[in-house]
Amino acid sequence: MKSSLLALALSLSTSLAVPPPAPYGAIPDAAQLSTQAMETYAFVHFTTNTFTGKEWGYGDEDPKLFNPTDFDADQIVGTLAKAGFKGVILTCKHHDGFCMWPTKTTDHNISKSPWKNGQGDMVKEFSAAAKRAGIKFGVYLSPWDRNNATYGTPDYLKLYRAQLTELLTNYGPVFEVWFDGANGGDGYYGGSREKRSIDRTTYYDWPTTWALVRKLQPNATMFSDVGPGTRWIGNERGIADYPCWATFTPMTKSGGPAGPGSDVKDLPSGTVDGKLWVPGECDVSIRPGWFWHKSEDSKVRTPKNLLDLYFNSVGRGASFLLNVPPDTRGKLNEADVASLEGYKRALDALFSNNLAKGAKVTADQVRGPEFSADHLLDDKRETYWSTPDGITSASIELTLPEVRTLSVVRLREFIALGQRVRKFAVDVRQNGQWREWISNGSSIGAQVLLRGKPATADGVRLRILESAACPCLSELSLWLEPTNVPNSLAAINADPNQLPKIGWTLSTSFETQDHPAAHAIDGDPATIWCTHDVEKGEQGPPQSITLDLGKAQPLAAMTFLPRQDGNAHAVVDRYRIESSLDGKSWTPPLEGEFSNIRANPIEQRVDLPKGTTARYLRFTALHVLEKNNVTMAEIGVIPAK
Ligand code: FUL
């Protein structure tokens, strides 16, 4: 007895003594770790261009042009914070040289504008609004200055650093300093109106400027084409490569070592086993241009497009820097706000339910008790599973508490110890059989989100196939992506009286591949749900569709938009509606007709009995106008007030 206790104590003490793995390769510094954990932050492009309609001001713009009529920093920053962005970076000076704060370095600044009678300070407004909204503040200061007479001479560098010093000392903590790579060329330059070419690799003497930032704001991450804090992803489309490595060895396209201003290669992918830790950042605008232009109000990216950008940036280990430019009022335009709200609802629906929760997790390799596989499910970035040194492949198995439908896997490495995993695959267990579900797993880093075909399974297995050193993973989670994220502006500008449709599911045994049931709740009037290929002689109505709203709630009415392509085939003109709290027992059916729908195919509204509270709604098409199958463009629900 005594000896077995002793043995237990000994084994415990030895296992507790297992040291953490040694770091592998390049690792992040504290500023990089905290910026990477932010995942998404916003850009705000705002200057005289907003009023002139230009993308690059020439430098001769009259400061009097800058005069927002109804500026509201809280509307701008508050909207961004509500949409999940953890920081906001303001263009304090764009290429045109107009300074958005009352700088001492040049007269070409906001104090010469009529806004607030020359007493305003946009940098102060934005940094204070960020503080109120609980997000971080960052600065963009264009190195290229098309206004300043000294541009191209050593004096300009003194002025540039003086501007940076003002920005980094007078406005509180700054999480990122954004150094734009576009510079040199023609401009106003104090009235000389000429072309000034500089050598981008030597002129700016970046190491001196970087040292200044480190001194004034040691916690700030510095962005440029090559870092040092975070690197440009190589395009303005917001898309990283996959695999995408946080490590990077900057090289020029012709093969030599690269520095800031060089023609750098491999930006979208980074370098596997690269010398430095310089994760990617995906900068992209919500509109075609970086500045607001009235003509682009109808060209705002849709929630679906923004969600895809999230997958293609954050989901590949990079950060997502989305630009949302204020209009001439000094507010975010309604179109951008609606799209951001739709995007956030989609993100929330996606991450509302971790399907790995409650699973039993086992690993075939465990470093020791402090590194157990349970850490993959504990929702903490600072705890992780690992294997003994030298073990670079392993398998982790989750047994789910029940059969669940999943479409996305998220993995995170404990990046403080470097980027280690090189190759992995994910399997699902269906009816007792394992089948490969995701086969192209490669880089992980801060996180990877991989989409698979929706799979219904009671087990999931992660196979780490290759790792440069023992793997260290802090998360393995599983999610189901909403299928009806709006992908048109018409969809996001839908009737505000209706419930938002994100997070709903529709089920039916009647749907065709090109026209799935999800089309009836995608907010897009141009796409339809269509039941059968009538030419194949399949059976017609009655055909039902069941809507799950996600939770029970008081409801006033349902709405039905028939197909909008002018075709009367398969348009429903008689229906039945039932509701339910649990999807099992249903209220007595409500039946009726959609009158005049052939001549006037507009949205139909059916009031539900007073006092209806339901989570499920079942709609049955009892009769259609022509042909035998059923179509529907949109189904909507109006909540009870
Ligand atoms: C580019 C600039 O030229 C654009 O105007 C914009 O500021 C974008 C973020 O960076 O290099």
Side-chain angles (χ1 to χ4, degrees):
M1 175 71 176
K2 214 172 166 189
S3 63
S4 66
L5 266 183
L6 188 67
L8 181 68
L10 266 178
S11 77
L12 271 182
S13 69
T14 40
S15 57
L16 278 175
V18 177
Y24 174 82
I27 55 168
D29 64 23
Q32 289 172 319
L33 272 177
S34 79
T35 308
Q36 282 194 272
M38 291 166 71
E39 299 180 0
T40 67
Y41 32 96
F43 226 161
V44 170
H45 275 63
F46 195 29
T47 187
T48 46
N49 291 347
T50 312
F51 301 84
T52 59
K54 289 187 200 160
E55 275 290 301
W56 284 5
Y58 188 72
D60 60 353
E61 292 75 22
D62 188 337
K64 291 199 176 65
L65 288 165
F66 188 83
N67 195 14
T69 51
D70 191 18
F71 176 71
D72 186 346
D74 291 323
Q75 188 262 359
I76 300 170
V77 179
T79 301
L80 299 171
K82 258 206 263 157
F85 297 94
K86 301 281 187 291
V88 57
I89 300 178
L90 175 71
T91 52
C92 301
K93 175 184 86 170
H94 202 248
H95 307 328
D96 55 81
F98 179 73
C99 294
M100 298 280 274
W101 78 105
T103 174
K104 295 198 177 81
T105 61
T106 168
D107 277 349
H108 196 57
N109 74 54
I110 200 156
S111 69
K112 297 284 182 281
S113 82
W115 183 63
K116 289 197 168 174
N117 294 319
Q119 302 300 304
D121 181 343
M122 277 295 169
V123 181
K124 196 165 165 190
E125 298 274 355
F126 275 88
S127 54
K131 204 166 172 195
R132 286 193 293 276
I135 66 174
K136 298 185 182 180
F137 177 66
V139 300
Y140 167 112
L141 184 72
S142 171
W144 184 23
D145 188 325
R146 301 175 95 183
N147 171 266
N148 205 278
T150 64
Y151 183 77
T153 71
D155 279 349
Y156 174 71
L157 292 189
K158 284 192 208 134
L159 174 130
Y160 184 75
R161 290 183 189 130
Q163 293 182 340
L164 203 51
T165 304
E166 290 178 356
L167 292 174
L168 299 184
T169 44
N170 297 332
Y171 300 96
V174 165
F175 83 95
E176 183 161 310
V177 184
W178 219 88
F179 294 122
D180 196 322
N183 43 52
D186 62 354
Y188 174 71
Y189 304 125
S192 52
R193 297 184 183 276
E194 60 191 2
K195 186 164 178 191
R196 296 204 180 158
S197 306
I198 46 107
D199 180 342
R200 302 191 334 154
T201 59
T202 54
Y203 173 58
Y204 293 103
D205 175 19
W206 284 112
T208 304
T209 303
W210 292 350
L212 178 69
V213 175
R214 285 195 182 104
K215 190 177 103 200
L216 298 175
Q217 294 273 350
N219 298 321
T221 294
M222 285 180 266
F223 168 98
S224 86
D225 286 8
V226 290
T230 178
R231 71 174 194 269
W232 188 40
I233 210 64
N235 64 67
E236 293 185 357
R237 289 176 292 115
I239 301 179
D241 269 7
Y242 190 72
C244 178
W245 308 99
T247 50
F248 192 47
T249 306
M251 300 290 284
T252 63
K253 287 183 181 148
S254 47
S262 311
D263 197 9
V264 192
K265 69 172 195 168
D266 296 335
L267 289 167
S269 62
T271 321
V272 65
D273 269 322
K275 270 201 230 129
L276 309 166
W277 187 270
V278 197
E281 183 180 283
C282 299
D283 62 316
V284 57
S285 184
I286 195 167
R287 290 162 169 255
W290 288 96
F291 289 90
W292 176 85
H293 311 296
K294 174 127 204 65
S295 60
E296 294 181 357
D297 283 352
S298 56
K299 296 189 180 138
V300 172
R301 287 176 186 274
T302 63
K304 167 86 174 97
N305 185 279
L306 295 178
L307 184 66
D308 285 341
L309 289 179
Y310 180 89
F311 270 91
N312 293 330
S313 54
V314 177
R316 294 176 176 180
S319 5
F320 179 22
L321 173 59
L322 180 71
N323 176 61
V324 195
D327 59 20
T328 49
R329 293 172 305 176
K331 282 185 168 168
L332 296 186
N333 191 264
E334 288 69 10
D336 308 62
V337 175
S339 189
L340 289 174
E341 285 173 358
Y343 154 75
K344 184 58 172 35
R345 273 200 292 271
L347 264 192
D348 289 348
L350 168 59
F351 294 122
S352 62
N353 188 12
N354 179 358
L355 298 160
K357 228 198 189 139
K360 204 175 126 255
V361 50
T362 55
D364 65 351
Q365 298 285 346
V366 177
R367 187 176 185 85
E370 309 91 317
F371 306 98
S372 84
D374 292 330
H375 291 314
L376 295 164
L377 305 189
D378 68 6
D379 234 1
K380 291 189 190 134
R381 284 181 203 239
E382 58 284 5
T383 63
Y384 57 96
W385 157 82
S386 187
T387 62
D389 287 345
I391 303 290
T392 54
S393 62
S395 163
I396 290 160
E397 216 171 288
L398 301 190
T399 297
L400 306 180
E402 74 231 334
V403 172
R404 291 176 173 173
T405 303
L406 23 124
S407 63
V408 173
V409 60
R410 180 165 76 190
L411 299 171
R412 289 187 169 146
E413 280 185 271
F414 182 70
I415 53 172
L417 295 179
Q419 183 153 19
R420 310 161 79 99
V421 175
R422 301 285 179 258
K423 208 168 153 197
F424 68 90
V426 184
D427 308 327
V428 287
R429 188 175 57 210
Q430 297 171 314
N431 305 319
Q433 297 286 314
W434 286 107
R435 130 176 120 72
E436 191 164 78
W437 183 47
I438 288 171
S439 47
N440 65 332
S442 177
S443 59
I444 300 178
Q447 72 172 295
V448 70
L449 284 168
L450 289 180
R451 287 163 153 154
K453 264 215 176 97
T456 301
D458 68 354
V460 172
R461 184 168 66 190
L462 167 70
R463 280 179 291 127
I464 308 269
L465 301 168
E466 240 179 84
S467 187
C470 60
C472 301
L473 291 193
S474 66
E475 182 177 310
L476 190 183
S477 55
L478 303 165
W479 313 91
L480 180 63
E481 191 176 350
T483 50
N484 57 329
V485 181
N487 199 19
S488 74
L489 284 189
I492 51 174
N493 292 329
D495 182 353
N497 295 318
Q498 294 195 14
L499 283 179
K501 299 177 185 180
I502 297 164
W504 291 4
T505 48
L506 263 191
S507 52
T508 179
S509 38
F510 307 103
E511 61 184 343
T512 42
Q513 215 183 348
D514 293 346
H515 306 291
H519 279 176
I521 53 170
D522 67 357
D524 187 347
T527 62
I528 58 170
W529 160 50
C530 179
T531 55
H532 283 162
D533 187 348
V534 77
E535 307 306 336
K536 290 192 191 143
E538 288 167 332
Q539 168 227 323
Q543 282 157 350
S544 298
I545 197 162
T546 304
L547 180 58
D548 177 357
L549 304 175
K551 62 171 199 262
Q553 49 204 305
L555 304 175
M558 283 188 84
T559 61
F560 301 91
L561 183 73
R563 62 193 298 173
Q564 296 293 291
D565 57 2
N567 193 335
H569 286 177
V571 168
V572 182
D573 65 348
R574 279 206 296 126
Y575 63 83
R576 176 193 298 149
I577 294 171
E578 299 145 287
S579 69
S580 167
L581 283 169
D582 58 5
K584 290 183 192 120
S585 59
W586 296 88
T587 54
L590 183 74
E591 294 190 2
E593 65 170 18
F594 294 144
S595 33
N596 199 27
I597 202 161
R598 183 194 295 271
N600 193 14
I602 56 170
E603 186 173 79
Q604 311 287 312
R605 173 182 167 128
V606 179
D607 287 326
L608 298 167
K610 271 224 152 56
T612 298
T613 294
R615 168 172 171 173
Y616 300 90
L617 290 161
R618 183 158 67 201
F619 169 81
T620 306
L622 296 175
H623 185 262
V624 291
L625 282 180
E626 288 169 24
K627 301 263 182 166
N628 216 359
N629 52 342
V630 171
T631 59
M632 186 65 71
E634 281 301 304
I635 294 183
V637 174
I638 299 179
K641 289 261 153 52

